[in-house]
Amino acid sequence: CGCNWPLSKGFQCDFTSCFRSAMFCCCADDKQGADVVSVDVTGYPEGAPVAPEPEEPKKVEPPLPAPVDLAGPRTFETSLVKDGILGITLDVKASRLSVMKIGGGCFEAHNAKAAPDNRLEKHDFIVSINGKTSQEIMLAEVKWCKDTVTMKIFRPMPFVVKIAKRGKPFGTGLVFHKDSCSMEIKEIRDGALKDHNARAAPDQQVQVGDFILKVNAFETPEQMVEALKTLSEFELTFARPPKA
């Protein structure tokens, strides 16, 4: 038809499209003295085929991401650029580092703008820092690292156990510091806790290595130890750290 549509874009001329508003020049050999006539075609010629309107491509919605169970337990990584103090206090136990406090530094600023599933929280366990898993080296990374800090975090799912002593001692060996926010169970002896485990369902049994977060509403070690000694019944909140 003499049209100049770009065929490389997939257009196939069927004459109909070209008839819409084109100016056609019907030419004869000038040597024969023929006239040159311009024809203005402003509509469809009678009987000309009509091209169908192209269909809108169907939009394919991307699948929704799987929901994150914020209750845990779960493991995730979080990173930030250290441009000042990190602003976290870590509780150093026999086998784990746990977060005692967050405030006044890079992690407080990070938490303010991070998604809920990527924030650092009290009682989180630090699995690694910049790929290091040794407690001593992780603590050095917290203190001396000057660039990006990447932490692998384990968030436990706390569980609650009700225990009645029935005249027996609680029966545990505990590890904690004066300013700790939890107490680690290092030994289970004869006593109320061992009796509880003997009759409790598996998901309610307490293990060596579990952390006591609260005794009733008490959260400091001094308060929790006193409650375990003096109360005959109590409700304990535990957290289980990740497996080594």
Side-chain angles (χ1 to χ4, degrees):
C1 72
C3 67
N4 292 322
W5 283 91
L7 299 182
S8 62
K9 294 186 178 179
F11 177 81
Q12 294 184 350
C13 179
D14 59 2
F15 292 90
T16 304
S17 301
C18 298
F19 279 133
R20 295 193 178 199
S21 59
M23 292 290 294
F24 285 91
C25 182
C26 300
C27 303
D29 192 338
D30 291 340
K31 291 182 180 180
Q32 297 179 4
D35 293 330
V36 177
V37 181
S38 295
V39 181
D40 184 6
V41 181
T42 59
Y44 292 105
E46 186 176 353
V50 178
E53 291 293 331
E55 293 185 2
E56 287 284 336
K58 294 183 179 180
K59 293 182 180 180
V60 179
E61 296 292 337
L64 294 175
V68 177
D69 182 7
L70 298 183
R74 63 190 183 90
T75 302
F76 64 98
E77 281 194 357
T78 187
S79 297
L80 54 79
V81 176
K82 186 180 179 183
D83 55 2
I85 62 170
L86 286 178
I88 58 173
T89 304
L90 298 178
D91 196 353
V92 183
K93 296 292 199 307
S95 59
R96 303 289 174 187
L97 293 180
S98 63
V99 178
M100 287 179 56
K101 183 180 177 182
I102 303 165
C106 298
F107 267 106
E108 185 174 61
H110 165 81
N111 281 353
K113 59 186 178 182
D117 60 325
N118 199 37
R119 296 171 186 163
L120 192 68
E121 295 181 359
K122 183 180 178 180
H123 298 309
D124 282 348
F125 291 100
I126 310 298
V127 178
S128 67
I129 299 177
N130 293 340
K132 311 297 192 301
T133 57
S134 161
Q135 277 199 23
E136 183 179 348
I137 298 177
M138 284 195 288
L139 290 171
E141 286 288 321
V142 169
K143 187 174 183 179
W144 300 112
C145 177
K146 296 181 179 179
D147 299 310
T148 300
V149 177
T150 300
M151 287 187 175
K152 188 174 182 180
I153 309 296
F154 177 81
R155 178 155 301 154
M157 182 172 65
F159 62 99
V160 177
V161 170
K162 294 182 179 181
I163 293 179
K165 290 178 14 180
R166 294 184 174 89
K168 295 184 178 181
F170 185 57
T172 57
L174 300 172
V175 176
F176 59 90
H177 302 289
K178 178 183 177 182
D179 298 323
S180 291
C181 62
S182 60
M183 302 188 298
E184 183 178 1
I185 296 179
K186 293 304 294 180
E187 182 184 4
I188 298 178
R189 309 166 185 158
D190 290 338
L193 182 57
K194 189 173 182 179
D195 291 348
H196 161 82
N197 282 346
R199 59 178 179 271
D203 63 340
Q204 285 286 295
Q205 293 176 6
V206 179
Q207 302 176 8
V208 170
D210 287 348
F211 284 66
I212 302 175
L213 307 183
K214 289 195 298 184
V215 179
N216 293 341
F218 302 120
E219 297 188 63
T220 68
E222 182 180 1
Q223 293 171 332
M224 290 191 286
V225 168
E226 185 65 21
L228 292 176
K229 288 180 178 179
T230 59
L231 299 181
S232 58
E233 294 183 4
F234 30 71
E235 185 176 86
L236 300 104
T237 303
F238 291 93
R240 183 159 295 158
K243 295 181 179 179

